[in-house]
Amino acid sequence: MALFIYGTATNTGKGFFTAEDRRAFFLRGFPADVWVVGNNEKGALWLAEKNGVEKTKAEAQALVTAEVEAAQAAWDALSDEEKEARPGNIRPSDITLP
């Protein structure tokens, strides 16, 4: 049995997930509104309640990768002066879903 459910759901801000949710099941957000939740009843119900769309791991990874690559391209297009002025001054790094 898979450990995680992968899906997309639009984060609506405060209250989108709670501390109780975090205690009840694994929950982690990624770029492109991709969410990885524990593969249990509470995780599945949370994704459904958020009008989430379940994805395969490969589909979810492709969405995250595309978002990261777009952010990297935007970073690469900045001048050295613009890069220095950015908070954190770091190029977005690749992300691999669990």
Side-chain angles (χ1 to χ4, degrees):
M1 182 164 122
L3 294 175
F4 303 112
I5 299 171
Y6 301 88
T8 55
T10 303
N11 186 339
T12 56
K14 186 175 172 86
F16 182 68
F17 63 85
T18 65
E20 185 178 324
D21 293 333
R22 299 289 303 257
R23 286 189 293 272
F25 55 91
F26 179 89
L27 173 64
R28 185 165 176 202
F30 291 91
D33 281 327
V34 170
W35 295 90
V36 178
V37 298
N39 188 7
N40 59 33
E41 183 179 359
K42 290 183 180 184
L45 285 173
W46 179 86
L47 189 60
E49 289 170 0
K50 303 306 176 189
N51 295 318
V53 176
E54 195 169 332
K55 303 285 184 187
T56 66
K57 182 178 181 181
E59 291 169 332
Q61 183 66 61
L63 291 168
V64 170
T65 299
E67 183 101 354
V68 168
E69 287 175 351
Q72 289 171 337
W75 170 263
D76 294 342
L78 295 173
S79 69
D80 289 339
E81 295 80 25
E82 290 171 315
K83 289 176 184 173
E84 288 298 322
R86 292 279 244 224
N89 195 25
I90 305 171
R91 183 178 190 264
S93 59
D94 294 338
I95 297 173
T96 302
L97 298 178

